[in-house]
């Protein structure tokens, strides 16, 4: 007779005869999906539960070992505890992507039960085993402390905070998703199961263990014969065996006779009735390889006679034949850099290197696909529903009818650029369509680490010159990227690295050459900062070297050269009225000079929107449903909070309370395409589309107030944020004062007017033209706008980063609570890039696990001071907001590097930095 395990979970007894991890038992058997599976390696803490009053990672505790112990999940917390954490986390901004949050709540609750009045260091120690990649931990620590105060009766919950009666731009308000993320009932794709999809099957790929090898044979007969296996699919089953975000060079599966390009390439896709059968079947698939010598790095890729990683690819309807391993290249010039540098009073030249780095988002890739109408529907975690649709439709050969693929974006547990490419979506769709059943396809954490694109490795040589007064005269640089096995977003990332390598300064002589090389390393693509983290680390480090030569201090040389409104950036664009780099520098001036001998400073700029002449459009459709204005825009909120920003935009434009506004389903079937969550574009580009649609709604509400009849149907308009152009040809210019928060023209009773518009729809498309790269115009407008920042890192007496002061010009601050967590999280991510994170490879094979990536933990963080710089005059679009998602990370690494340069005079041109408190500690560990 099988042994029985009696488990006490949330006060109820459960019995099982299967010895498995508590994580899998809670999720699979009891349906308690608040307990998240972030790694199943005991490294991330997303699966934390309370066991006998202590926080325990449920993935390392088995049902057998749990007998006799009391287990508590989020669902088992007292109502008072649940409400305390919802309110506390909502009011301090502790929630972003949300995937780590239930685990953080339980770790905090366990501590508070033992110690009702914990200190910040005690809280940091209590959550040390829980990783957060979004917030930088500070907001979570403050939130747990606040929850403790509420539970002690020293603070009270104010229901008005969550209700949001006073809800608009610039207000300190709850995010729209706080409650469902704190209490764990919000759905990520992996939370969908047999209750949602009866007959759900499971799929996973057999992947190459060699970076470069010829697939001689694939023997799947034993796997296919195993009871419970539905299919083993190979390249022969794929209609079009290539996908790719922009360039179609990524094989869905490597066919027999073809050569793998990196470890983790899919060779076969196994589909089974359950997880256990799936795991057994994968082991039965036998693949024979002829191992080949890999191309390990840029030098080997560029060597004469190097094997081609790709002989050709498809891009934008063209078949491109390759003669070498250069995937993409860019050349950006202005003025005469060679002449300017030759005539400079001082120059500095240095070669810099930065490593591949892993996004380390907490939610591994997962999706569910099912047959739908004449195609397939995908429930996904990604950064662009329409991008996923396009790639999957291409795989099916449905380029002319992409609507046969429907993509719905669920909650996304972090992205940072790492979820722009398809990973499991196309595989799940293929299996579901071929087999006619719903299929869940997922990556283990180990598979995710190997498979999805990383931040590009960079080697770049930079030369910067200045005159005797410290004014920059010119810059020359060559940037080389290792883009790994596949293009992903190599072209745009390389382009952004080149165009931003000049920094946020005013000089006009530049010569920038960029090359992205294919190798057999794991692919590289988008990562928060989009190439600018690499090039700005180099430039900002070199500025300090040049300043020392010129006898000018680092703050002053930056201030002398800082861009101002009306001046010309090195790319030729005239800085707009909102530009506040000098104000950012002034905001950190005192702290820099007070700690000059151990402080580092760095500046940056970052574009908002895709720009460079591409048709980057924001679209929104507001539909009135049951007295609620529901905003439909197919945009992925990956934790940055754009969905909340959109509701604030509507509240500001229409005067509506929070209860009358909602975000609609992010779906290619029900929401218009508003572009990828990338390039810090959603607050500006989609935000302006939302505001435009809200103005149309507001006008209809005013018509109702006047007693006019508003026809049923959809009102459609488009414009540039100031002028509305309607389908019948007439135009309307919004009065300038209405584009400023606090100056809305709204009905006396907005909710009552809204209720009389039931079923009406209001659509707006925002598009502001930009100029293509290299456009032959005097002052090309590359992007809609730029954000600016100045960071100061202060080291303590042992060389540890103890303080960070981050001053940001992000235009008008739309949500003061959210921006603080964005800056703190961005700073900590940049610090990790500078000091501790790496992605080591041995002959193109990754050697790191999630727990060895070098991620900062809660008890490692410095005191981070987020400073918001807002000018009185802002841009007219999107209420003046410019985005914060990427720029928060960019200046952090060079600020750290420059702090060490100030401390000991030693230039550290490679990341992670050598000979620091952190490198010495890692060596000791």
């Amino acid at each position: 007779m099988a042994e029985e395990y009696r488990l006490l979970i949330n006060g109820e007894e459960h019995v099982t005869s299967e010895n498995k991890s508590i994580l899998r038992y809670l999720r699979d058997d009891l349906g308690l999906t608040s307990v998240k599976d972030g790694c199943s390696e005991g490294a991330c803490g997303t699966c934390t539960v309370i066991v006998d009053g202590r926080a325990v990672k449920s993935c390392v505790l088995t049902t057998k070992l749990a007998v006799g112990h009391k287990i508590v999940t989020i669902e088992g917390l007292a109502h008072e505890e649940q409400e305390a954490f919802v309110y506390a986390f909502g009011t301090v901004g502790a929630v972003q992507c949300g995937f780590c949050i239930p685990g953080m709540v339980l770790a905090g609750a366990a501590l508070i039960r033992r110690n009702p009045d914990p200190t910040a260091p005690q809280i940091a120690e209590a959550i040390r085993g829980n990783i957060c990649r979004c917030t930088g931990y500070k907001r979570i620590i403050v939130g747990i402390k606040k929850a403790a105060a509420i539970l002690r009766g020293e603070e009270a919950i104010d229901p008005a905070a969550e209700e949001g009666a006073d809800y608009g731009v610039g207000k300190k308000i709850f995010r729209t998703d706080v409650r469902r993320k704190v209490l764990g009932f919000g759905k990520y794709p992996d939370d969908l199961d047999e209750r949602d999809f009866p007959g759900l099957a499971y799929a996973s790929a057999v992947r190459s263990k060699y970076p470069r090898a010829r697939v001689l044979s694939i023997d799947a007969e034993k796997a296919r014969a195993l009871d419970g296996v539905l299919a083993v699919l190979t390249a022969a089953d794929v209609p079009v065996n290539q996908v790719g975000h922009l360039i179609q060079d990524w094989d869905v599966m490597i066919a027999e006779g073809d050569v793998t390009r990196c470890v983790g390439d899919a060779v076969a896709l196994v589909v089974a009735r359950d997880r256990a059968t799936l795991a057994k079947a994968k082991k039965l698939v036998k693949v024979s390889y002829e191992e080949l010598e890999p191309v390990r790095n840029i030098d080997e890729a560029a060597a004469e006679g190097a094997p081609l990683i790709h002989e050709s690819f498809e891009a934008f309807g063209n078949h491109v034949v390759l003669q070498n391993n250069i995937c993409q290249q860019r050349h950006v010039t202005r003025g005469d850099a060679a002449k300017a540098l030759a005539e400079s009073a001082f120059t500095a030249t240095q070669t810099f290197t930065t490593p591949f780095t892993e996004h380390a988002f907490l939610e591994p890739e997962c999706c569910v696909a099912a047959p739908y109408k004449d195609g397939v529907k995908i429930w996904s975690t990604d950064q662009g529903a329409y991008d996923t649709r396009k790639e999957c439709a291409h795989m099916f050969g449905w380029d002319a009818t992409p609507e046969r693929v429907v993509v719905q974006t669920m909650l996304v547990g972090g992205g940072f650029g790492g979820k722009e490419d398809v990973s499991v979506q196309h595989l799940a769709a293929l299996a579901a369509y071929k087999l006619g059943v719903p299929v869940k396809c997922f990556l283990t954490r180990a598979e995710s680490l190997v498979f999805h694109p990383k931040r590009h490795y960079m080697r770049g040589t930079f030369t910067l010159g200045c005159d005797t007064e410290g004014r920059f005269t010119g810059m020359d640089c060559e940037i080389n990227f290792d883009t790994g096995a596949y293009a992903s977003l190599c072209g745009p990332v390389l382009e952004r690295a080149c165009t931003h390598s000049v920094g946020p300064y005013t000089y006009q002589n530049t010569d920038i050459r960029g090359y992205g090389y294919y190798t057999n390393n794991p692919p590289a693509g988008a990562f928060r900062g989009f190439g600018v983290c690499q090039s700005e680390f180099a430039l900002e480090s070199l500025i300090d070297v040049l300043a020392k030569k010129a006898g000018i201090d680092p703050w002053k040389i930056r201030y002398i050269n800082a861009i101002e409104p009306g001046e010309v950036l090195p790319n030729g664009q005239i800085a707009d009225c909102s530009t506040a780099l000098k104000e950012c520098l002034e905001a950190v001036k005192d702290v820099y000079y007070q700690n000059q001998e151990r402080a580092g400073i760095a500046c940056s700029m970052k574009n908002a929107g895709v720009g460079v002449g591409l048709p980057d459009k924001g679209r929104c459709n507001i539909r009135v449903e049951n007295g609620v204005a529901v905003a439909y825009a197919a945009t992925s909120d990956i934790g940055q909070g754009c969905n909340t920003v959109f509701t604030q935009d509507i509240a500001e434009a229409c005067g509506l309370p929070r209860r009358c506004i909602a975000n609609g389903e992010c779906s290619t079937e029900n929401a218009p395409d508003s572009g990828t969550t990338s390039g810090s574009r959603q607050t500006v580009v989609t935000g302006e589309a939302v505001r435009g649609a809200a103005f149309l709604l507001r006008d209809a509400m005013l018509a109702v107030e006047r007693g006019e009849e508003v026809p049923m149907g959809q009102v459609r308009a488009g414009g540039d944020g100031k002028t509305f152009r309607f389908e019948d040809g007439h135009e309307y210019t919004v009065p300038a004062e209405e584009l400023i928060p606090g100056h809305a023209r709204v009905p006396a009773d907005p909710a009552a007017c809204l209720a009389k518009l039931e079923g009406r729809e209001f659509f707006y498309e925002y598009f502001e033209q930009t100029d293509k790269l290299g456009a032959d115009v005097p002052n090309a407008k590359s992007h809609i706008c730029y954000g600016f920042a100045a960071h100061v890192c202060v080291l303590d007496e042992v060389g540890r980063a103890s303080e960070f002061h981050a001053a940001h010009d992000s235009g008008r601050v739309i949500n003061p609570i959210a921006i603080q967590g964005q800056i703190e999280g961005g700073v900590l991510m940049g610090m990790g890039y500078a000091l501790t994170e790496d992605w080591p490879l041995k002959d193109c094979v990754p050697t790191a696990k999630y727990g060895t990536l070098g991620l900062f933990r809660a008890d490692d963080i410095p005191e981070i001071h987020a400073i918001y710089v807002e000018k009185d005059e802002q841009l007219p679009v999107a209420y003046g907001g410019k985005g914060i998602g990427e720029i928060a990370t960019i200046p952090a690494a060079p600020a750290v590097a420059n702090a060490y340069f100030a401390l000991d005079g030693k230039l550290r041109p490679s990341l992670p930095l050598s000979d620091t408190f952190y490198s010495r500690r890692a060596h000791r560990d």
Side-chain angles (χ1 to χ4, degrees):
M1 183 176 178
E3 186 176 0
E4 286 190 341
Y5 309 116
R6 296 185 176 275
L7 308 171
L8 189 61
I9 299 171
N10 295 334
E12 297 182 2
E13 186 180 72
H14 298 270
V15 180
T16 181
S17 59
E18 188 176 0
N19 187 21
K20 64 197 312 187
S21 76
I22 286 293
L23 168 62
R24 294 265 49 101
Y25 182 70
L26 293 172
R27 288 184 61 84
D28 301 342
D29 295 61
L30 302 187
L32 297 175
T33 55
S34 67
V35 187
K36 304 303 181 189
D37 184 359
C39 70
S40 287
E41 296 173 354
C44 73
T46 61
C47 66
T48 297
V49 296
I50 299 174
V51 180
D52 298 338
R54 299 278 176 177
V56 173
K57 294 169 184 174
S58 62
C59 68
V60 297
L61 177 66
T62 63
T63 50
K64 183 176 182 178
L65 294 175
V67 172
H69 300 282
K70 297 179 180 179
I71 299 172
V72 177
T73 69
I74 286 284
E75 294 84 354
L77 292 179
H79 179 70
E80 294 77 11
E81 291 175 301
Q82 292 177 343
E83 291 303 307
F85 276 99
V86 168
Y87 180 75
F89 276 35
T91 53
V92 306
V95 177
Q96 289 189 34
C97 88
F99 202 78
C100 74
I101 292 300
M104 291 288 187
V105 168
L106 288 168
L111 172 65
I112 293 169
R113 287 179 174 186
R114 299 194 309 273
N115 177 4
D117 191 8
T119 64
Q122 288 171 335
I123 295 170
E125 177 63 27
I127 63 173
R128 189 183 187 282
N130 296 61
I131 297 293
C132 176
R133 195 63 162 156
C134 296
T135 67
Y137 300 106
K138 183 178 178 181
R139 297 296 94 209
I140 293 173
I141 293 169
V142 173
I144 292 173
K145 193 168 182 62
K146 189 177 186 71
I150 293 168
L151 292 169
R152 292 194 308 273
E154 295 177 9
E155 291 192 32
I157 294 174
D158 179 5
E162 189 173 6
E163 291 169 3
D166 184 20
Y167 202 85
V169 168
K171 304 295 177 63
K172 294 183 177 181
I173 52 89
F174 256 53
R175 285 175 57 120
T176 59
D177 51 9
V178 167
R179 178 168 291 274
R180 57 183 169 151
K181 287 180 175 177
V182 169
L183 300 183
F185 61 82
K187 291 280 190 179
Y188 300 84
D190 195 32
D191 297 330
L192 301 172
D193 56 24
E194 289 82 356
R195 292 169 297 175
D196 305 287
F197 296 93
L200 181 67
Y202 294 84
S204 181
V206 175
R207 298 183 179 276
S208 171
K209 57 184 178 180
Y210 301 110
R212 184 166 177 261
R214 190 173 304 280
V215 177
L216 301 178
S217 65
I218 304 169
D219 184 357
E221 293 312 305
K222 289 183 179 179
R224 291 188 175 105
L226 185 67
D227 187 41
V229 170
L230 300 182
V232 179
L233 304 176
T234 65
D237 298 297
V238 186
V240 178
N241 194 37
Q242 281 191 323
V243 293
H245 196 79
L246 298 174
I247 292 173
Q248 286 75 54
D249 65 351
W250 204 325
D251 290 5
V252 176
M253 285 182 271
I254 303 297
E256 284 187 349
D258 286 350
V259 175
T260 66
R261 299 186 181 92
C262 66
V263 168
D265 268 339
V267 177
L269 182 68
V270 180
V271 189
R273 285 292 179 197
D274 56 69
R275 289 176 180 267
T277 303
L278 178 63
K280 291 177 184 176
K282 285 181 66 177
K283 293 177 182 178
L284 295 175
V285 178
K286 302 302 179 185
V287 184
S288 296
Y289 298 94
E290 177 192 355
E291 191 173 357
L292 303 172
E293 190 75 12
V295 177
R296 299 171 182 83
N297 51 50
I298 291 168
D299 290 333
E300 291 186 7
E304 186 176 351
L308 294 181
I309 307 300
H310 293 270
E311 294 182 354
S312 65
F313 56 62
E314 302 296 322
F316 308 105
N318 299 312
H319 181 73
V320 179
V321 177
L322 300 180
Q323 304 299 322
N324 52 41
N325 283 316
I326 295 177
C327 171
Q328 292 281 286
Q329 56 186 308
R330 297 291 188 272
H331 190 192
V332 182
T333 63
R334 185 172 173 83
D336 190 336
K339 182 175 183 291
L341 289 169
E343 296 174 354
S344 297
F346 304 97
T347 61
T349 300
Q350 183 64 48
T351 297
F352 296 87
T353 63
T354 63
F356 289 109
T357 42
E358 158 64 26
H359 302 78
F361 39 71
L362 270 296
E363 176 208 24
E365 296 86 341
C366 179
C367 83
V368 172
Y372 186 71
K373 296 182 178 178
D374 64 342
V376 65
K377 184 171 181 178
I378 301 166
W379 290 261
S380 178
T381 172
D382 55 35
Q383 293 184 223
Y386 277 85
D387 292 331
T388 296
R389 184 182 82 164
K390 177 184 174 184
E391 289 199 57
C392 293
H394 179 75
M395 176 192 69
F396 283 115
W398 299 342
D399 297 283
T401 54
E403 64 277 4
R404 293 180 65 181
V405 176
V406 174
V407 179
Q408 180 177 335
T409 302
M410 309 289 289
L411 289 181
V412 182
F416 314 112
K419 291 178 179 174
E420 291 198 37
D421 302 86
V422 293
S423 54
V424 292
Q425 299 93 331
H426 57 316
L427 299 178
L430 178 69
Y433 187 73
K434 288 277 185 181
L435 302 176
V437 298
V439 175
K440 176 185 282 191
C441 189
F442 56 91
L443 297 183
T444 65
R445 177 57 71 177
E447 289 173 329
S448 174
L449 289 177
V450 168
F451 185 76
H452 75 250
K454 309 288 174 261
R455 177 178 276 134
H456 288 82
Y457 168 93
M458 182 202 77
R459 184 177 68 212
T461 300
F462 287 64
T463 298
L464 181 66
C466 69
D467 63 18
T468 55
E469 296 179 350
R471 295 190 181 279
F472 298 151
T473 52
M475 188 195 74
D476 178 275
C477 76
E478 180 172 304
I479 295 171
N480 293 282
F481 273 1
D482 184 339
T483 201
Y486 300 103
S488 181
L489 282 141
C490 176
V493 174
L494 180 65
E495 185 172 291
R496 213 63 73 241
C498 291
T499 58
H500 285 59
S501 64
V502 296
Y505 306 109
T506 176
Y507 61 105
Q508 303 302 313
N509 299 291
T510 58
D511 191 329
I512 306 148
R513 302 163 304 283
Y515 304 92
Y517 288 88
Y518 283 123
T519 66
N520 287 120
N521 291 318
F527 196 146
R528 189 180 199 174
F530 214 74
V532 184
C533 290
Q534 295 94 312
S535 59
E536 283 296 276
F537 162 68
L539 176 72
E540 291 291 320
S541 297
L542 194 61
I543 288 174
D544 274 27
V545 175
L546 184 65
K548 190 173 184 179
K549 284 189 174 186
I552 303 173
D553 75 64
W555 184 91
K556 185 176 181 181
I557 198 170
R558 287 173 171 82
Y559 194 78
I560 288 170
N561 289 283
I563 191 71
E564 295 184 80
E567 293 184 337
V568 181
L569 284 160
N571 64 5
Q573 182 163 336
I574 298 173
D576 65 54
C577 62
S578 71
T579 302
L581 178 59
K582 282 202 165 181
E583 289 84 349
C584 288
L585 281 163
E586 290 163 359
V588 297
K589 180 179 180 179
D590 288 347
V591 72
Y592 174 76
Y593 281 116
Q594 289 163 8
N595 301 276
Q596 192 171 0
E597 293 182 354
R598 51 191 176 90
I601 187 168
C603 297
S604 70
M605 67 178 183
K606 184 64 178 68
N607 61 289
V610 175
V612 293
L614 296 173
D616 186 22
K617 298 181 179 181
R619 300 181 181 93
C620 177
N621 187 50
I622 296 177
R623 183 185 304 142
V624 183
E625 302 174 3
N626 300 313
V628 175
V630 183
Y632 290 90
T635 55
S636 297
D637 190 329
I638 60 175
Q640 83 278 30
C642 64
N643 281 342
T644 302
V645 167
F646 302 155
T647 60
Q648 291 179 266
D649 289 335
I650 295 171
E652 187 67 39
C654 299
L656 291 167
R658 173 71 185 90
R659 62 181 173 81
C660 292
I661 309 168
N663 299 110
E665 176 185 285
C666 178
S667 163
T668 60
E669 188 172 41
N670 295 314
D673 183 4
S674 200
T676 312
T677 293
S678 179
S680 301
R681 60 181 299 282
Q682 295 298 6
T683 293
V684 180
V685 179
T686 301
E688 180 55 35
V690 172
R691 184 176 70 166
F695 279 153
L696 296 175
L697 170 62
R698 186 273 316 269
D699 290 346
M701 292 163 59
L702 289 170
V704 168
E705 186 178 54
R706 294 191 298 268
E708 299 173 11
E709 182 69 26
V710 177
M712 289 295 294
Q714 185 184 63
V715 179
R716 296 180 65 89
D720 61 2
K722 302 177 288 294
T723 301
F724 281 50
R725 299 177 185 87
F726 293 83
E727 287 191 327
D728 64 5
H730 83 276
E731 294 187 356
Y732 167 72
T733 300
V734 180
E737 64 272 14
E738 293 184 16
L739 303 175
I740 302 171
H743 294 77
R745 182 169 52 91
V746 300
D749 189 345
C753 292
L754 180 70
K756 294 181 180 179
L757 293 171
E758 187 69 26
R760 276 76 166 182
E761 298 183 35
F762 306 88
F763 174 89
Y764 187 80
E765 177 181 282
Y766 165 66
F767 177 56
E768 189 167 343
Q769 184 67 53
T770 56
D771 297 308
K772 67 179 182 179
L773 190 66
D776 187 18
V777 294
N779 295 105
K781 182 178 180 179
S782 296
H783 295 281
I784 296 169
C785 57
Y786 292 91
F788 297 91
H791 285 191
V792 168
C793 172
V794 179
L795 304 177
D796 64 16
E797 56 279 357
V798 298
R800 178 173 42 209
S802 58
E803 294 179 51
F804 230 103
H805 298 258
H808 279 266
D809 159 28
S810 294
R812 181 166 283 110
V813 175
I814 307 297
N815 187 334
I817 294 176
I819 193 175
Q820 189 164 5
Q822 282 280 295
I823 291 174
E824 290 167 359
V827 166
L828 197 66
M829 184 176 283
M831 280 184 59
Y833 187 45
L835 293 165
T836 58
E837 294 183 35
D838 202 357
W839 182 244
L841 300 167
K842 182 176 175 55
D843 293 330
C844 303
V845 179
T847 60
K849 293 184 177 181
Y850 196 84
T852 65
L853 291 172
L855 306 177
F856 272 104
R857 295 179 180 269
D859 58 350
D860 289 326
I861 64 174
E863 187 62 34
I864 301 172
H865 303 273
I867 304 165
Y868 323 132
V869 177
E870 291 182 279
K871 299 191 77 165
D872 292 335
E873 185 178 7
Q874 298 287 351
L875 292 172
V877 298
Y879 288 116
K882 294 197 291 191
I884 187 66
E886 294 178 283
I887 196 172
T889 295
I890 296 166
V896 172
N898 290 337
Y900 282 104
F901 187 59
L903 183 69
D904 60 16
K906 179 182 176 181
L907 179 67
R908 295 165 172 84
S910 297
L911 298 182
L913 301 173
S914 61
D915 193 23
T916 68
F917 167 84
Y918 301 90
S919 63
R920 291 190 289 271
R921 182 180 68 175
H923 182 72
R924 288 195 302 272
D925 293 346

